Amino acid sequence: MDWLPLLSTLVGAAIGIVATVIADRSRWKREDAKDALRLRLDVYTQYATAVKVLGETLRALAEREHPSDEERALALREAFRASGIAIASERMWLIAPQPVVKASNRVFHCLRGICDGYVDGTAVSSPEDRARWEARGKAAAEMRKLMREDLGVGPLAERHSPLLND
């Protein structure tokens, strides 16, 4: 009996099976990488949005008249809590690489300092307030730069809010 045709058929089948397994594994890795990238994009977008909205909310509440200092403090603290930034921050801690987590944490603490300053009576646009906003703007710019690097997106050519260095 001639074993050569049978052996070549078996070798061809084995090569085909191995090639299919390798192709499927490669496709799975690409899809997994795309899913991870989409997840980080979602987390980064949620966090950056929470940062922006919370900042605007804190400033608006600080400019508004309140019946008392206690009412003002309560409104500011409630806005911070209700903003969703704590949840977005936790997602960041779970998903993002360490440089992005550190940068986002700096932004979080800048916003906490702005809120606490307003609670303590810091006037909007005072030198102390502007210094806090400047620090937040620099921290946010660094955070976005690191997020863009992680996502494989090039750097921005200009800022959209030069007044606050946002």
Side-chain angles (χ1 to χ4, degrees), residues 93-107:
W93 278 85
L94 293 172
I95 299 299
Q98 186 174 0
V100 176
V101 170
K102 284 183 173 183
S104 68
N105 199 41
R106 282 190 294 274
V107 173

Side-chain angles (χ1 to χ4, degrees), residues 59 62 72 117-118 120-130 132:
R59 183 177 291 265
R72 179 183 192 206
Y118 289 151
D120 293 339
T122 299
V124 173
S125 296
S126 67
E128 186 179 1
D129 184 48
R130 290 191 66 74
R132 286 185 180 124

Side-chain angles (χ1 to χ4, degrees), residues 47-48 51 100 103-104 107 139-148:
Y47 193 80
V51 164
V100 176
S104 68
V107 173
E142 178 64 15
M143 176 189 74
R144 285 190 189 98
K145 177 181 145 286
L146 292 169
M147 287 174 173
R148 291 177 67 83

